[in-house]
Each structure stands twice: as structure tokens, then as C-alpha cells.
Amino acid sequence: MQLERRGYVKAGPWTPEVVVEHPEAVRQLHREFLRAGADVMQTLTFYSSALDIGSEVPNITCQQINEMACDMAREVANESGALVSAGVSQTPVYKGRSSESEVKAIIKKQLEVFLRKDVDFLMAEYFAHVEEAVWAVEVLVTSGKPVAATLCMSPSGDKDRVSPAECAIRLVRAGAKIVGVNCHVDPTQCLQTMKQMREGLDAAGLQAHLMIQPLCFHCPDCTSEGYLSLPEAPFALESRVLNRWDVQKYAREAYKAGIRYIGGCCGFEPYHIRAIAEELAPERGFLPPASQKHGLWGSALDVSGRPYLRARASRSHWENLKPASGRPLCPSLSIPDV
Amino acid sequence: MQLERRGYVKAGPWTPEVVVEHPEAVRQLHREFLRAGADVMQTLTFYSSALDIGSEVPNITCQQINEMACDMAREVANESGALVSAGVSQTPVYKGRSSESEVKAIIKKQLEVFLRKDVDFLMAEYFAHVEEAVWAVEVLVTSGKPVAATLCMSPSGDKDRVSPAECAIRLVRAGAKIVGVNCHVDPTQCLQTMKQMREGLDAAGLQAHLMIQPLCFHCPDCTSEGYLSLPEAPFALESRVLNRWDVQKYAREAYKAGIRYIGGCCGFEPYHIRAIAEELAPERGFLPPASQKHGLWGSALDVSGRPYLRARASRSHWENLKPASGRPLCPSLSIPDV
Amino acid sequence: MQLERRGYVKAGPWTPEVVVEHPEAVRQLHREFLRAGADVMQTLTFYSSALDIGSEVPNITCQQINEMACDMAREVANESGALVSAGVSQTPVYKGRSSESEVKAIIKKQLEVFLRKDVDFLMAEYFAHVEEAVWAVEVLVTSGKPVAATLCMSPSGDKDRVSPAECAIRLVRAGAKIVGVNCHVDPTQCLQTMKQMREGLDAAGLQAHLMIQPLCFHCPDCTSEGYLSLPEAPFALESRVLNRWDVQKYAREAYKAGIRYIGGCCGFEPYHIRAIAEELAPERGFLPPASQKHGLWGSALDVSGRPYLRARASRSHWENLKPASGRPLCPSLSIPDV
Amino acid sequence: MQLERRGYVKAGPWTPEVVVEHPEAVRQLHREFLRAGADVMQTLTFYSSALDIGSEVPNITCQQINEMACDMAREVANESGALVSAGVSQTPVYKGRSSESEVKAIIKKQLEVFLRKDVDFLMAEYFAHVEEAVWAVEVLVTSGKPVAATLCMSPSGDKDRVSPAECAIRLVRAGAKIVGVNCHVDPTQCLQTMKQMREGLDAAGLQAHLMIQPLCFHCPDCTSEGYLSLPEAPFALESRVLNRWDVQKYAREAYKAGIRYIGGCCGFEPYHIRAIAEELAPERGFLPPASQKHGLWGSALDVSGRPYLRARASRSHWENLKPASGRPLCPSLSIPDV
């Protein structure tokens, strides 16, 4: 979504060919997230599987994208000690039980590239049906690499209404070492889902690391269908964007909930990731490079010539602020389309 | 502000040393604006004059920044046929009539670099007092290059309550070929100011091109002090950010008002600039490169598998939408501090 | 609450002695509800049981209030063919199982007056614990009169978390012919509670009439504690008040849900009750007297001299309107205190 | 408007025949305002002049209404020491200069009744054109009674854009002892208008008492056309209603501005009038009768059994509260129709 705002990716098809067409833009974004404190460079391979099944850019293949995406993630990760993770996501061929072999074949083909590029760990992400995610995990674990798995679901469960608790159990039993959620709903709802996942795992006596990558949009009006059903998606979501203080609050709550892989999905920008790193600096023991250009809790304002700006150089100002929308003709919630 | 969000610039002092410290980040941002349709690369020399008067980075000089900023702007501009403009802004030494020679000395020193780098035209921007802006113009016009001049003011006039009409007249009489406003208030208020400037010039029988570079934040609650007086500035402005459709509307109104240098200031991202280029494509005769990754008026959604997303592939959806803030505990307006 | 706004009742203690002190005000309000289409005059005996247990007006007894309240309700009811209902409500002596005899004694004492005054039916209302409500019903049914029973609860159940379904079952088994909810939450939440009550009764094979008397305030932010926990209660609820079109919508939904005793609690004014009567006029077969002074769906505006007012003489205008608060500094939801 | 909500008056034509049809309802409302602290009973003769020019109730005459209205106002006023004021308002025959004699004839006819009933003073109210108001004052002063005159205008002036300052001057020169505004806009805008009136009178060396009767609705989005142009008028204004604390703030500001006839127009209920009397109790030296049923600044809540309600028994709670609308799908401002 950041690359869309920078002019490189088309919203709607979310064109992964940017990796081949504009590597400098992708590399720059990786670097910004690294500077912001990210421990993992996730390869931009999202939805690349869709490319071989009818694309606007027939001369760019999924394999080509995946290879370049891995190379770039590694290149930037090596600038500090970050890890590289390569991901597969829901496939366009999934249509229930009968599609198992087809889905697995697509995942397997992507895995071959990831292994050749020797990424550090693997990820099955943005799956809407736990069944398909389990298949992906089953393929990925054959590599011997650690596997993470996330579903894009609300607290009411996956597309087939399988509960978060049950989803977590199935993914761990399939071999995932890290399980969680990504996309579709906001931090508040993601945290509710994670609570259910954790309780499910505990009740089943299973162990796994927990992972969370919510939207960077406030969407309390979301139904189980996720934020795409809101009339603002995807081109008028600005007014819903979390600020850095919202993100710090989210990061703290995620940490308290026992989650240790804490990140973000659509809408997250480098400064949002930095906010996670800053909030958890006491636990991590260090601040990220980008914090050299950021006063914690607005402290850089204390050099301002304006007294009212200096007065905002305080945690209490930012923590208690109820930011106005500047849009008196607009409501605070929308009615989702579905 | 974009570079702040990317982790390279410190809000508060708005550290221009980024030009020297992270040229790749500045170059990338220039390139994104170019792809978005910008006709002018403005050198990142804003506030650099402050550096020589006590800075956090004593080993980086104003001259060094200005030179590199010019080189980079030119390098990217040459990738297509864009112009390069170098700017000076309000100085920390201004304190009314007595400071004329001091101010002019600072401007002159910056001008020398700009001339050596042979920029295409010059800009005096972000002046709060028309008096100081006039001095800057007086220095800049000695170069023989075209000069643009903008004030950061509300419709009620500059810091000394000199009316927009009077400001425009003084700047044009001092030799500016382009006059206008930038920063501090939102498009609606900037357009009101420009209307007064235009009427003033017309009444005085003067001619000049008009220029506008508003905030990318909705701030109807701003007083003459500008958006910094709002409690959300500068770290919680997300909910006020204009979306692309807001920008198209603004661009059309600016064009109708006879303004031909149409841009943006704090908060503008590449896709906002693209929105200006797309709105004015009929007049300009072409779309910018970044529009290859953007369906006009949401048209790229018509390939979506979800019927409700396809239904949003229409101008009427986006033009009539009243986007929700997703923040039911927040108001729509704030009380400014001053 | 209406009498509070008219200056006769003190918010907080909700002083029922108004019946004795200002009968003309009570009588007038009864008459307005009658004109608005009410089929039942409910005696103003709410909380009168509190009076004998330490009151600000020691020379006015509960019995005196109850007698006068019955007389006035009957007097006005007789102006058309309305029924008179006398109600008892939660007592200050309730403290769980051990208090049964004490509670029943208070109810019994009130019942004696109601029987002497020969009201048409009896009501146990505003009970927070179904246990106490069942005791009230047990006392009231000894009279042989029909008994209605309502709890002030949210969809999550009574104060002891007994579910709405279970509450309904217990009340009907205790002899109530009409069961439902009143007060504490808004129409939307009350309708959710009623749905559960109905399903509970159906599942248990029990039959009863259903009754609903919600708040006239929009309170989607209410927790199970009810609207009193909102910071606006009870002196700043104006911005939450339902308009007549909101009430028509509520009345229709209540009717569709099989509810036939449809009314209102705190905040309802005569024109709100008229809105119920107007919405259900097709089913009832007539309009109430007060509709002589009301054009349905704004139709009286069609005689206006202003074209824009005439344009509002339509159902679609009022049904689709999203009324503004006129308060841009205020949020749309609050955080309840508990 | 109160009588509309009670079911006696039809919005749109605002049927003054209620005086004849339902005197008990009118008398009761008078009495409530008296108890709330009103010093003046204004006869319900508003718009009665319209009746003789084609009415829905041909057997009720303007004279009949005016006579009964005077009798009732006097009857209630005599219950304490209140004054009776009878008013005339804009006439349906006004059409500029040529209509002077016609307008004056209508006013004169009404005046005859008022004199026969010996009211204490006279009022020309709800005039949109100062020209017509001046004519009314010219007729009324012939009686020898004190005359008050109010215009329904915004701070931008009357219907013909005559400034508030000029309007005040003309009315005082015509003989009015009290001048001011009523209706159409909210307290904030009315206070702005009054400031201009006062400055105009001061500059002209004229003396008069000042009077203000604003709407009881928050309407910052009103244009000079007044609140009727808002899409919520007249049937969905609930969310805009001032609460008692808003009214206290308004009363204080009006008093500070030197205004001594402080009241209200559309939307005011008895408890709003009481709020004026309570705010100005230190100046008046007493509380009104209805304050016996009202704890100042919420103090009656200190007897509540709920700790969070007791915590609201304080001035700071109510003064600082930003009341939520409970309507997250609604905006805070509307676009007026004109």
C-alpha cells in the first residue's frame, strides 16, 4: 500500500511486478523499515502466484519476481543483522477440499525459489480459509525451515467460521512454529482474535510463538468481512490511519498479551514500525537507527520557538489527545457494504 | 514531512542535513514526485540557512547542503524534462526593518550556490512577513533568473496583518514573476487568500503568475496562526489528511481560479501530486508515468472478484463519499492553542 | 424525565411527590400522552415505595401518592377509552434471597391501593434482578388482574447475568401475561433483548405478550450497566434524543418482531409516542387526536413559502437524513464510567 | 415549538389557534415558564395575523386568539408579579415600501386588542426586514406603552443586508425602548449580532435596553438564511438542542455583554429558562420556584447510590463535558440548503 502511494503499485490488482519494474523503490522501502527497527525483511512476494494465471505483464513471471524479491530482501537485511522471510499467500485456485493438490503445487513451486535463495524462514500469510493455510504449512515444513502462518480473519473466525482457537490449533499441528493474524481488521480486533488463539493453544496444551500484523486503520465498524467492505476502501482511508501514539499503545498491548512477532499490514509506514520499536525499546534494549531523527513522545518540540509547541513535548499531551478529523461534514463510522 | 515519516528527518527542527546524510532517500522522493507528474523539482534547501546558526550537526554546512540539494534535484529532473527551482525561506535573523542587511546577506550567500549550480528559477518561500519576502525577492532578482515568492499566511494576511492583496502587489513590484501562498492553512483557506491576491493585482493593474501550495490537511478550525496551533500538530495529523479525491477537487478549483502553479506543502505525498496531474490531464494533454499504476476514479477496481468493490469503480462513489474517521471518541474540530 | 424538564421533578431522587404537589402538571402530561395515542395511562407511582424509607417530604406518604396517581390516571383515561395500569418497581430493601418477605410486603402494600382504585391491570417494572421481579409478579397475580413485568436490562441479561431468555421464562411461569424490558438501553439494544426473550419463550413452549419501553436516547456506547454510566447522564443527554423518524423506525421493527405493547421510557415526549401511533396507524386503523396537528412525514411543509422547506415534505428526506449534532468539538460516542 | 412537541401545534403553519382550541395546554406552558423564573409572560399571539388571511380554522379569528392569549398570560402572570407583553410579528402583506399602510393597518388592529387588555408592554418581534419592524414600532409607540423590537437576523444583517448596527439605530429612533434579536440563529451568532447592535447604538449616542432570544439549537453551520435552511429543520433538530449548561454559559455571556432582557426562542423548554435564572441568581438575588426541584450544577446527584453518579455532582464535570451525539453515522455539521 505504501508503494501504491508512492506511485509504483496499482490498487486493486496490487501488482507485485513492481519488484522487477522498480527495484530501487522496493529496496528503498525495505531500507526504511530496517532503519525503523524491523527485525525481519519480508520478501515482496505477496500475490505473486496470481501472476502466472493471467496478468497484465505477461513477460514477467512469478519465479522472476520471487527471485528478485528474495535477493533484495537479503541485500537490505545484510546491512544490519535482520532476517529474511519469504511468504506465500492464498492462491486463486483454492475451491475447497478438491483443490488440495492444485494449491500445494503452486506453493511448492514458490518454495523451490525460496530454498534456492536460502531465506531464513518461511511464511504462509493472508489465508482466508484455515484449510488452505494448513496445506501451505504442510508444504513449507518439508523444507526444514521454521514456518510462520497467519490468517486474515476477524475475531469471529475464518471464512468458514472456524474459530480462531481452532485455527491456531490446526496450524500448529500442521507444523507452524509461529501463528497469528494479519490484515483485514484493526489492532483492537486483531488483539481479540489473538487472545482466542492463545487460549485455544493453551487449552490444547500446544506451544507456538504468536504473531500479529493488523491494519494501520481504525475500523471499529468492520464486520467479519474485513475493511474492504467499508466504503472508504481502498482510496479514502486517510482519515482512519493510526498515528504513532496509537501504534505505541497497540504494541504495548500486543506485548502484554504475550505476542512477540509484532508488526503491521496495510497502511503501516516506516514511522509506524519505528513506533513499535520505540515502545518496546525497554524490552529490546535499544532504539532503532531512525530514532536518531525522532524525539520520544514529542520531545524534539522542546526546542521550538513557539511556547504552545514546546508545551506538546510531553507524553501526556500525545497520549490523551483525541485527534480531530477536520471533516465536520463526515461521520465517525460507516456502514459496511457486507 | 514525508521524509520524517520515512525516518530521515526530525520533526521540530526539520533537519535539512538529510540531503548530506541520506541522499538516496531524498533522490528517491524527488523521483516519486517526478513520476507523479511534477514539472518542477524544488531543491530540499528549506530552512538550511538555520544550520549555520547553531545546529546539531556542526560538520555539515548550509553551503554543502545547498550544493548537494541542487545536484540531486537536477539529476532527477534530467530524467525527464523537469525544471529545477532553488528556494530560500524566512531567516532566523529577521527582526523587522533594522535587520534588512543581515537578512539580505544570508539570502545572497545562498543565491551564490544556486547560481553556481545554474538552477532554472528561484523561489522565496515560507515567509511570514511580506517585508522579509520582499527583501529576499530583491536579492534574488539581481540574478536575472525568474523569481517566485510565496508567503505562509491565512486569508487574514501576513504576520503584520498586511492583506493578501497588498502582499501580492509588493512582491510583484519587487520583481517576482510568480506570487502566491504555501503551507500553514488548508486548500480551502489558501484558495481564499489567492482570490484576494488576484483581485489585488487586478486592481493595481499588475500581472503575475499565481502559485498555491497548501497543506494536505483539512484544517477548517485553523486561525490566522496556521495549523501548528492545532493540538494535533505535528504528530497526530493523520485523521486530517486529504485523500486523492479531495486533491482533485482542490486542483480543479485552483485551476478555475486562474492559478497555474499548483502544488502542495506539508502532508503531500506522491499520490497527491499525481491526483493534481490526473485532474488536470485534459488541460495538460497527458497523464504522468505513475498513472500507469492507477485507474482513474477507482476504475482499477472493476477487475475485483468482490461485487461491492467493483461497484466502487466509479467517479460518483468517490466524489460523494463522506469518509468516516473510524474514531467515534474523537471530535471533528479542535480548539487551536492560539 | 419530562416533568423534570418542566420543572416539577428533581433528577437524582426523581421525586414522585409531584403527584401530590402539582397534580395539574401530571394530569396535563397524562392528557398529552393520551392525545398522542397512548392506549394505557401508567400511574405515576414509580419509586414511590422509596418515600416511606426516608424522604425529603415526610408529610407525603407513598399511599397518598399512589391513590392520587391512580385517580388522575383514571380521570384522564376516561376522556377516551384508555386503560389504567398501576406499577410497582424495584424496592430499596432488596438484597437477595433473604429479603423476599420484606420485598413482598412492600409490593403487597402498594397492591392494596391499586385494587381499591380498581386499576385495569398491574405492572412490575424497572426491576434489575429477575428474582425480585418474580416476587413482585407472585404478589400481583394474587389479585386476579392481568400482570405485566419488565426488567431494566441489556442484551447481556439482568444484574446477576441471568439471560433474557431465562428471565422471560421465569416471569411467565410466575404468572405474568406480558413480559419485556424497559429503560436503561436504547431501542436497538432493547430489540436485541426482546429477540432473546421471545426465542426463550418459544423454546420453552410458553406464551406471553411482549412489551418494550426503551430509552429515547441513542446509546450504542452503553455497557450492560445502562445509560446512567454514560457521562452525559442525566443532565446532558439532549444530543442523543431520538427524533420522530427514529421512533417510527423503532416502532416498525418492534411490531415486526411480534411485540404488541410498544412504548417508551426516559426521554420520550408526547410527539415520540405519537410517532409510534402514526407508524402503526395502518395496523391500528386510526390516527391519534394529536395527529390533527401533524402532517405525516413532514407533509405540512408543503404549504411553506420557502421552496427548500417544501422540498422536505417527503418521507425520503426524513428517512434518509443523517442529522448533524451542530457540535463539531464533541465526539459521537463516550466511554462509559463502568 | 414546545406545544408542537406536546401535540397541540402544527409545525409548518405553527397554528396559533391552539390558544382557543386548547387553552389548558397554553396556560400550563405559561405556568412552567413562570415557575422557571420568567419575568415576562409573552402572549401567544405569534403569527396570529396570518389567520385572517386564509386559515385552516375559519371560525377562529385573530382577534379571538389575541384576546384569549392576553387573558391567559395575565392570569398566569398574576400568580406572581410577572409582566405581560403582547407581540406583533412580520405580516404576510409586507412587500416593501408600497405596503406600509397595509402592514400598519394589521398591526393597528392587533394593538387595539392589546390595549383593551391593558398589557404591560408591547413587542414587535420576528421581523426579517427592519423597514417593516420600524413601521410596527411606529404604530405601537402611539399607545404610550413601552415597546420592544427584535429582528430575526444573523450577524450579517437583515433580509436587505442592513447591518445590525443600522437596524438598532433605526428601531430606537422609531421609539423602541428595547432592541435586539430573536430566533433564526444560535446563541453564539446572536451574541455577535448584539455586539454590533450595541456598538452601533453607542457610536450613534443612542440609549436602549438590549434583548436577546436565540434558538435553543447549536447551528454553527447556519448561513444568513437562518436555521430553517438546515436539512434538520424543523423535524430532526434534537441532536442540536442546547443542554442546561450550554444555556448557563450563554446567559452569562449575554449578561456580560450588557444585555438585560435575556430569553430564548424556538427549542427553549422550561428547564432552559430556569438555567438562565440559576446562572443569574447572584445578580437577581433569588432562585426561581422550579429550582426547588433542581440541584445547582448537578448537586442532587450526591445522594445517588452509584459512586460514578455521585462523582458527577460537580460544576467541573458538567462545564467541561463534551457530550456525545450517540450517532456515529452522523456528521457534526450539515450543508445548508441556501
Side-chain angles (χ1 to χ4, degrees), chain C residues 163-180:
Chain C
S163 74
E166 176 68 14
C167 289
I169 290 167
R170 288 199 209 166
L171 292 168
V172 174
R173 288 204 170 129
K177 297 292 187 214
I178 308 173
V179 294

Side-chain angles (χ1 to χ4, degrees), chain C residues 4-5 7 21 35 228-233 235 238-239 241 243-244 271 293 312 317 324 326-327 332 337, chain D residues 4-5 7 21 35 228-233 238-239 241 243-244 271 293 312 317 324 326-327 332 337:
Chain C
E4 196 276 336
R5 298 199 166 180
E21 293 176 335
R35 275 178 52 79
L228 291 176
S229 68
L230 295 173
E232 292 87 2
F235 294 126
E238 282 79 354
S239 45
V241 173
N243 62 42
R244 58 197 78 192
Y271 75 105
K293 297 297 180 186
R312 292 179 204 150
H317 176 80
R327 292 170 165 89
S332 58
D337 281 346
Chain D
E4 198 275 336
R5 300 200 165 180
E21 293 177 334
R35 275 177 53 79
L228 291 176
S229 69
L230 296 173
E232 292 87 2
E238 281 79 355
S239 45
V241 174
N243 60 44
R244 59 196 76 191
Y271 77 104
K293 300 296 181 185
R312 292 179 204 149
H317 176 81
R327 293 170 165 90
S332 59
D337 281 347

Side-chain angles (χ1 to χ4, degrees), chain B residues 40-43 45 66 70 73-74 83-89 106-127 133-151 171 174-180 209 211 213 261:
Chain B
V40 178
M41 294 291 101
Q42 292 185 205
T43 60
T45 51
N66 285 354
C70 289
R74 177 61 72 195
L83 299 172
V84 170
S85 156
V88 296
S89 46
I106 288 181
I107 305 290
K108 196 152 179 287
K109 199 168 151 196
Q110 291 180 270
L111 176 59
E112 282 160 19
V113 177
F114 300 155
L115 289 178
R116 205 158 57 236
K117 295 296 181 181
D118 197 26
V119 302
D120 297 309
F121 68 101
L122 299 163
M123 196 171 291
E125 66 171 349
Y126 199 70
F127 283 89
V134 162
W135 296 341
V137 171
E138 287 171 353
V139 173
L140 297 178
V141 293
T142 63
S143 68
K145 303 254 184 202
V147 174
T150 53
L151 296 168
L171 291 169
K177 298 292 186 214
I178 309 172
V179 295
H209 295 290
M211 175 171 174
Q213 293 184 318
Y261 196 121

Side-chain angles (χ1 to χ4, degrees), chain D residues 22 34 72-73 76 78 90 112 129 151 164-165 186 200 204 276 298 317 328:
Chain D
H22 291 285
L34 188 77
M72 274 196 292
V76 176
N78 284 350
Q90 55 175 266
E112 282 161 18
H129 301 267
L151 296 168
D186 66 13
I276 299 176
H317 176 81

